[in-house]
Amino acid sequence: MTGASTPLAAGTALDAQDQGQIEAIVAARHGDPFAFLGIHRAGDGIVVRALLPAAQAMAVVDAATGEMVATGVRQHAAGFFTAIVPGRQEPFPYRLRRNDGGAWHEFDDIYRFMPVLGELDIHLLVEGNHLTSYQKLGAHPIRHESVEGVAFAVWAPSAQRVSVVGDFNQWDGRRMPMRRRHAGGFWEIFVPGLHPGHIYKYEIVGPTGELLPLKADPYARQAERSPGIASPGTASVVAAPSRHAWQDSAWMEERWRRNEREAPISIYEVHLGSWRRNLAEQGRYLSYRELAEQLVPYVKDLGFTHIEIMPATEYPFDGSWGYQPISLFAPTGRYGSPDDFRAFVDACHGAGLGLWLDWVPGHFPSDAHGLGRFDGTALYEHADPRQGLHRDWNTLIFNYGRREVANFLLSNALYWLREHHIDGLRVDAVASMLYLDYSRNAGEWVPNAYGGRENLEAIAFLRRMNELVFGDATGATTAAEESTAWPMVSRPLYVGGLGFGFKWNMGWMHDTLGYMSRDPIHRKYHHNDLTFGLLYAFQENFILPLSHDEVVHGKGSLIGKMPGDRWQRFANLRAYYAFMWTHPGKKLLFMGGEFAQEREWNHDIGLDWQLFGDPLHAGVHSLVRDLNRLYRTLPALHQLDCDPEGFYWIDAANAGECVLSYVRRGRDPDDFAVIVCNFTPIPRVDYRIGVPRPGRYCERLNTDAENYGGSGVGNAGAAEAAAHPMHGHAYSLQLQLPPLGVLIFTIGS
């Protein structure tokens, strides 16, 4: 390492310039410590400078020979030493020895090492085009100049000084101030001798000289679990390089060939911390590996095709459920290590299940150790609270128009797909990103450049994110939680869409849950709550969501929303599920719904598994399994989920009797299913519906079957189509409709 410094000869006093630099180093206020510390030419010789707090003596050792070549002179009471190396004119590899009053300890000086970040990396980072920035920024165990250690790098352009602090340097910001690279504000340092498992943060001096709260690493791949050993439990952790040997090559190869629009997608949404607890150990969380052993086979047995986990990027507050993340690159340590998480993903793929991650690029919490005012300025967020503050959630909004921020989020999306083999990103709160006036009154928001309410930078970011995800040739997909009438959310970029693979159908959920919560005697006045969704069902690639949002905050459980006595409530829920599974659109059900969890979801405890002892609860569980089986095996129920050719009404107008009948079709004309729904507790005898073809129609599922807890009203397994014109068809079926029941028929045996 070379750098300009004042000449210093053995036995001479320091001049004022050197003394000023030493004072700046000791005060941790030096703007360029690498230019002064370490080894430098000094006049006709070589000088080594080091700050070693608490050391009583210092010496310099030639790294090649092990020979001690110079002893240090204490120049400051805080432990600043200089050593003149006689007979040397050029810098050389060296090590330091220190004595704290006992034995000598030899170590590599951090200020002898050249930079780790290459000029191309810096260039791409400054441009905001480094889509693998997670490989360069953060903490990485590496071998540098033949020495093992950890390279740290962070973006803090307005900082006057950045130091890495941790359990390896007594959290002392004087000891390891970092090297600033480029005016773009990227800082780095290589610390020899460190290894995975060390905890650390960044100590930052802001632009006006203020010392900021210690900051967690935005790119950390692992985070400390609260409470911490030597910190409040909010530190970053030097993650070990992954040693996980992926076993899912066949899955990954097949994934990119799959047409997800035509595939059966039935999603089991899970909060990992409250699906099940280990009651034998004070109700502790199940680990990722325990979830692989218990959750994965459970979901596979139920017939779901995917698991969607609520946000698993590290977050400080359990009650946020992960929706206020601090470390977007770190799987939460609540359930294990990053490789434990990879093992969980691998287990899903081994069982034939996709895994989607609930991803939160819309906002971040204002915790002092997080991204907020990271370098003393509004770096990741907007400075103006009219643009940068979510008042509903007291969170901060990413500045999508800043190229480094967009790059941070884009590389994060790709990180989860590439490094953890995630199959899909469910993007949270998209509506809050799209609209500048989201949840704001007049005067509380800033219009865009054209005077509109659309967030042009967020739109560009979302389009670019989807372009990258689908252009990555991995077969991964995206889904938007978007609750407004924003057009073409799930349409391709080349036709002007946002480019998502799917969109949650919040309107369908709201309307149909509203209908089902009404007493059947009043349902005839709200018949269009069930039919209205078909007017727009194919404008987007929809997912029908019965998510966690419907069973929290006083809303009760799904079964708790159903009217009537106990039997009727279960019958209503079974009918609702069958309507959902036969309605166009992919399916999503939050955990507990599959067995009619009765209490509202509580993230602090596991589900009520004891309910399986009740036949009505067990019946709902069996029904969900059978619905998933039919949905997967009958092309008519999934192949044209997102295509209007896959659906037509037989009779949508019988509001008086609360009966609906319709046909679902596959691409093959011979693949079709007939569905009849009776949403009253009155059995309908000899009820006739038109059907497209003659033949014997097999009753493939009856939600009123006794094994589901129903009354057993049905059609003895089949019905024969008669040449009796009805509903515009030449043939019809005469059926017995069960109370609060749904029937599914296919033609043939």
Side-chain angles (χ1 to χ4, degrees), residues 618-667:
V620 173
H621 185 268
S622 295
L623 173 71
V624 170
R625 181 194 289 115
D626 289 347
L627 284 170
N628 275 326
R629 177 182 53 80
L630 276 182
Y631 176 64
R632 292 195 330 272
T633 57
L634 295 180
L637 292 183
H638 67 254
Q639 202 168 62
L640 298 177
D641 259 336
C642 305
D643 192 318
E645 294 182 4
F647 177 92
Y648 69 85
W649 290 110
I650 295 173
D651 182 11
N654 190 356
E657 293 182 296
C658 300
V659 175
L660 289 173
S661 52
Y662 48 93
V663 170
R664 291 297 312 277
R665 296 190 293 192
R667 292 210 173 276

Side-chain angles (χ1 to χ4, degrees), residues 112 151 154 248 281 290 294 318 324 466 484 512 567 593 630 656 731:
R112 80 165 233 214
V154 66
D248 63 350
E281 298 181 27
E290 287 172 320
Q294 298 180 39
D318 286 353
Q324 294 196 10
N466 283 311
T484 74
T512 58
W567 186 92
L630 276 182
Y731 299 90

Side-chain angles (χ1 to χ4, degrees), residues 660-724:
L660 289 173
S661 52
Y662 48 93
V663 170
R664 291 297 312 277
R665 296 190 293 192
R667 292 210 173 276
D668 187 328
D670 292 330
D671 287 330
F672 69 92
V674 173
I675 297 95
V676 191
C677 311
N678 175 18
F679 290 109
T680 70
I682 302 170
R684 306 292 178 187
V685 179
D686 297 332
Y687 190 91
R688 189 171 291 276
I689 63 165
V691 290
R693 288 171 50 183
R696 186 174 186 270
Y697 284 74
C698 176
E699 190 177 85
R700 301 294 298 271
L701 187 139
N702 178 352
T703 65
D704 192 50
E706 292 180 358
N707 61 303
Y708 301 142
S711 62
V713 173
N715 299 275
E720 193 74 29
H724 184 127

Side-chain angles (χ1 to χ4, degrees), residues 276-295:
R276 179 179 287 162
R277 295 288 186 93
N278 188 321
L279 299 180
E281 298 181 27
Q282 291 74 52
R284 70 162 173 81
Y285 294 129
L286 298 185
S287 69
Y288 290 122
R289 294 183 186 273
E290 287 172 320
L291 288 162
E293 295 171 353
Q294 298 180 39
L295 172 63

Side-chain angles (χ1 to χ4, degrees), residues 163-233:
S163 295
V164 61
V165 297
D167 58 359
F168 42 85
N169 64 8
Q170 291 73 57
W171 302 89
D172 185 347
R174 299 173 302 166
R175 296 174 183 247
M176 295 182 181
M178 302 172 76
R179 172 192 283 116
R180 185 185 182 108
R181 299 291 305 281
H182 195 276
F186 292 91
W187 301 74
E188 69 161 325
I189 196 168
F190 173 72
V191 182
L194 294 192
H195 50 77
H198 281 295
I199 61 174
Y200 70 99
K201 285 186 177 180
Y202 295 114
E203 182 180 280
I204 300 174
V205 174
T208 61
E210 73 278 23
L211 186 63
L212 304 178
L214 295 182
K215 293 291 188 178
D217 188 345
Y219 278 86
R221 298 195 186 196
Q222 192 170 352
E224 185 184 24
R225 280 291 297 127
S226 181
I229 298 171
S231 73

